[in-house]
Amino acid sequence: MSERRSSESGFPIKGVYTAADTPEDLDSRLGGPGEFPYTRGVYPTMYTSRPWTMRQYAGFGTATESNARYHQLLRAGTMGLSVAFDLPTQMGYDSDEPIAHGEVGKVGVAIDSIEDMRLLFADIPLDKVSTSMTINAPGSVLLLLYQLVAEESGVPGSALNGTIQNDILKEYIARGTYIFPPKPSLRLVADTFAYCRKEVPKWNTISISGYHMAEAGATPAQEIAFTLTNGVEYVRAALAAGLAVDDFAPRLSFFFVARTTLLEEVAKFRAARRIWARLMRDDFGAKDPKSMMLRFHTQTAGVQLTAQQPEVNLVRVAVQGLGAVLGGTQSLHTNSFDEAIALPTEKAARLALRTQQVLAYETDLTATVDPFAGSYVVEAMTAEIEAAAVELMERVADHGSAVDAIEAGFQKREIEQSAYRIAQEIDSGERVVVGLNRFTVDEEEPYEPLRVDPTIEAAQADRLARLRAERDADAVARALAQLRAAADGTENVLYPMKEALRARATVGEVCGTLREAWGLYRPTDRF
């Protein structure tokens, strides 16, 4: 039994809760399922009519290898795909650039051009699957490649469903895969909102992410506070670009972690919905109920997986997935038990999916909406997290905006302090991690991880060489020049960007053109 008596967010956990611990205005804080402030879920029926979307995050090596894994997952019952890109792609570099050496295909799939995107989604019905792409700085580039490939197979943009993460602000806080300074990055986000409203109307144009901040050490209260303040910044950027709030807000989505602290995680999700609904209605004047609904994807906590006794991670992931479902997630990715060691094997990925399927089809979780509503402890924790998150959001606002607070290092400092505290608690044994600092074994069982073919980098370079030799170089140059002109002016850059990609410009060439126009961001820069 854990000795911990305080929550991850820092408030004390009582041994017994009663009705006296719940807010006096509980009824108004709750509402009904599908009703403002959406504490009980964004839809009236939630999982009673259909379960959440079951996603598995996959992508490694070449586009052809990743395509084979996607087909395996679809045959196993996955309802949505989630694409992992390698580091060069995330940073907007081609596989043959010197800076990409040693990283091609390592943590995800390498996508250099429309030809790779064709291979990645070969024989996958893009009008029937939902695809999430974990890509940020070049998110618009990968979305346009996806749209172009769909159009080639006869699927119009109006039929596409999915999400690009496209959340650049959290990169400056916790993850680091940024390219451009914040101001042009926010312009690119706003241009993507406007483009998708017209061309890809069912696409979720951003997944405002707390997951990576949580993985860096943020508490649940910090996770939702800093995520929602970033969301406010994106709303302001879109409004400044001339968009009406109800034209883009319904397509905003969020991305959170699910930890093993199940009760607090359920409370966190409920508090986040409540805060966002009030922000959109009261601060931004949203009228469309969909603008006030915080819809989110959840991934189980990779940072809580252990390389020691890795099979124990199956239990952790099941508990984390349970918390996400009880918290009302719209889609869920369950980590594979071996991810603390290497990229997941096929068997491990299938077991992770089976975990979700057991929750959906063998339990009674889908029989009723928001089963924890009215729970003394969950309602008290929801109020505690809400208060803590709002206080942190006010501290961010004291800097002027989320961007100003990022520049001052506020969010990063707060998260680093929490991460240090967690590390100290693990080292001292105060925080129990089964198999790591308690219940250990003398000798681990052998495990054979999935290994990425080291020849991938050379193969990608050969593909790029052929592409550049075969394409119309003059057409590419003209298209990139039009993109540069748009970047230098005020035109929506996604339209000329799409034409450049159609002409077979590479991801690196497109991002390089924008680098020339907008510059690179370095943490010491001022903007």
Side-chain angles (χ1 to χ4, degrees):
M1 181 176 177
S2 173
E3 287 83 6
R4 208 179 320 152
R5 289 292 182 267
S6 63
S7 72
E8 297 287 295
S9 297
F11 56 82
I13 299 177
K14 300 172 64 172
V16 176
Y17 285 81
T18 70
D21 296 301
T22 62
E24 292 182 2
D25 58 343
L26 182 60
D27 287 346
S28 65
R29 292 190 187 216
L30 281 177
E35 297 176 1
F36 185 91
Y38 305 104
T39 307
R40 303 199 61 193
V42 293
Y43 303 122
T45 57
M46 290 301 290
Y47 313 134
T48 61
S49 55
R50 62 179 295 272
W52 59 93
T53 299
M54 300 178 196
R55 296 190 187 279
Q56 286 306 109
Y57 187 49
F60 62 95
T62 66
T64 300
E65 290 174 302
S66 296
N67 175 264
R69 174 63 63 86
Y70 295 155
H71 281 285
Q72 291 165 357
L73 289 170
L74 290 169
R75 286 194 296 270
T78 294
M79 298 151 64
L81 300 175
S82 186
V83 185
F85 297 95
D86 73 355
L87 192 56
T89 305
Q90 292 181 50
M91 299 297 291
Y93 290 110
D94 289 332
S95 296
D96 60 353
E97 296 190 50
I99 197 171
H101 179 62
E103 293 294 339
V104 176
K106 286 289 180 67
V107 298
V109 62
I111 298 294
D112 291 317
S113 72
I114 191 171
E115 294 190 355
D116 289 328
M117 191 65 90
R118 287 178 187 135
L119 292 173
L120 185 64
F121 289 101
D123 300 319
I124 292 175
L126 299 186
D127 55 342
K128 294 182 172 60
V129 301
S130 171
T131 301
S132 174
M133 292 188 275
T134 304
I135 193 76
N136 293 284
S140 55
V141 183
L142 275 298
L143 169 61
L144 292 173
L145 287 173
Y146 186 84
Q147 184 189 6
L148 284 166
V149 168
E151 289 175 349
E152 289 176 351
S153 61
V155 179
S158 59
L160 296 177
N161 281 285
T163 304
I164 44 172
Q165 194 162 101
N166 199 30
D167 174 9
I168 197 61
L169 292 181
K170 66 95 174 47
E171 298 295 329
Y172 304 112
I173 296 172
R175 195 160 173 267
T177 62
Y178 44 72
I179 301 175
F180 319 113
K183 286 186 178 177
S185 293
L186 286 172
R187 172 194 168 180
L188 188 54
V189 170
D191 280 358
T192 305
F193 289 175
Y195 176 87
C196 287
R197 178 174 177 262
K198 184 175 180 181
E199 308 293 343
V200 198
K202 292 192 283 187
W203 197 265
N204 296 312
T205 50
I206 193 168
S207 178
I208 306 164
S209 176
Y211 181 88
H212 305 94
M213 290 185 273
E215 292 283 281
T219 68
Q222 289 172 339
E223 179 191 356
I224 63 171
F226 299 151
T227 304
L228 298 187
T229 52
N230 286 350
V232 167
E233 197 75 7
Y234 293 125
V235 171
R236 288 174 177 163
L239 293 173
L243 299 174
V245 66
D246 287 326
D247 286 344
F248 66 86
R251 303 317 305 168
L252 302 179
S253 65
F254 292 80
F255 176 25
F256 295 118
V257 77
R259 302 170 180 82
T260 52
T261 44
L262 186 147
L263 295 177
E264 187 175 5
E265 291 300 286
V266 172
K268 176 193 75 179
F269 297 131
R270 301 169 92 249
R273 278 194 295 270
R274 197 150 74 201
I275 295 169
W276 186 250
R278 288 178 173 147
L279 272 172
M280 295 306 292
R281 185 192 69 177
D282 300 341
D283 291 12
F284 294 108
K287 305 296 184 189
D288 186 343
K290 292 181 180 178
S291 298
M292 308 173 207
M293 295 178 184
L294 185 145
R295 296 171 301 112
F296 64 95
H297 169 69
T298 309
Q299 182 173 337
T300 55
V303 74
Q304 291 187 322
L305 302 181
T306 63
Q308 298 82 2
Q309 301 181 48
E311 292 85 356
V312 178
N313 293 329
L314 287 163
V315 182
R316 292 187 178 101
V317 168
V319 172
Q320 294 162 358
L322 178 61
V325 171
L326 288 169
T329 193
Q330 274 60 70
S331 68
L332 177 61
H333 163 80
T334 36
N335 288 326
S336 300
F337 75 88
D338 54 357
E339 286 187 41
I341 303 171
L343 288 169
T345 61
E346 180 182 345
K347 179 179 180 180
R350 185 171 61 248
L351 285 171
L353 176 60
R354 295 290 183 252
T355 302
Q356 293 202 52
Q357 291 166 333
V358 168
L359 291 176
Y361 300 111
E362 292 192 20
T363 75
D364 53 5
L365 288 173
T366 60
T368 188
V369 177
D370 190 25
F372 273 178
S375 158
Y376 298 149
V377 60
V378 168
E379 298 299 358
M381 281 189 170
T382 302
E384 291 264 23
I385 294 175
E386 180 181 12
V390 168
E391 190 269 336
L392 278 169
M393 294 173 74
E394 290 170 350
R395 291 174 65 192
V396 170
D398 288 342
H399 287 83
S401 70
V403 171
D404 295 322
I406 289 168
E407 179 63 15
F410 172 70
Q411 298 98 319
K412 198 171 190 302
R413 274 195 310 275
E414 292 289 310
I415 292 170
E416 286 172 349
Q417 289 171 6
S418 297
Y420 181 63
R421 173 178 58 82
I422 292 168
Q424 284 184 311
E425 291 173 356
I426 292 172
D427 289 345
S428 69
E430 178 185 353
R431 178 183 292 258
V432 175
V433 181
V434 173
L436 178 65
N437 62 6
R438 195 182 296 187
F439 312 114
T440 59
V441 293
D442 294 332
E443 186 176 339
E444 295 286 343
E445 295 179 12
Y447 170 80
E448 184 60 35
L450 178 71
R451 301 193 185 279
V452 175
D453 185 348
T455 65
I456 287 171
E457 185 173 330
Q460 283 296 115
D462 289 344
R463 285 174 54 77
L464 281 164
R466 289 197 303 273
L467 171 77
R468 294 187 179 110
E470 294 169 359
R471 70 188 183 184
D472 185 336
D474 290 339
V476 172
R478 287 193 300 272
L480 291 174
Q482 291 171 348
L483 174 61
R484 174 62 191 263
D488 286 337
T490 58
E491 179 187 347
N492 188 316
V493 297
L494 269 73
Y495 289 94
M497 188 188 294
K498 184 180 180 184
E499 295 312 308
L501 294 167
R502 192 197 305 274
R504 298 204 288 175
T506 68
V507 171
E509 289 165 344
V510 167
C511 291
T513 299
L514 296 180
R515 283 189 191 94
E516 293 172 4
W518 294 340
L520 281 167
Y521 175 74
R522 296 175 179 83
T524 56
D525 289 348
R526 294 293 182 266
F527 48 88

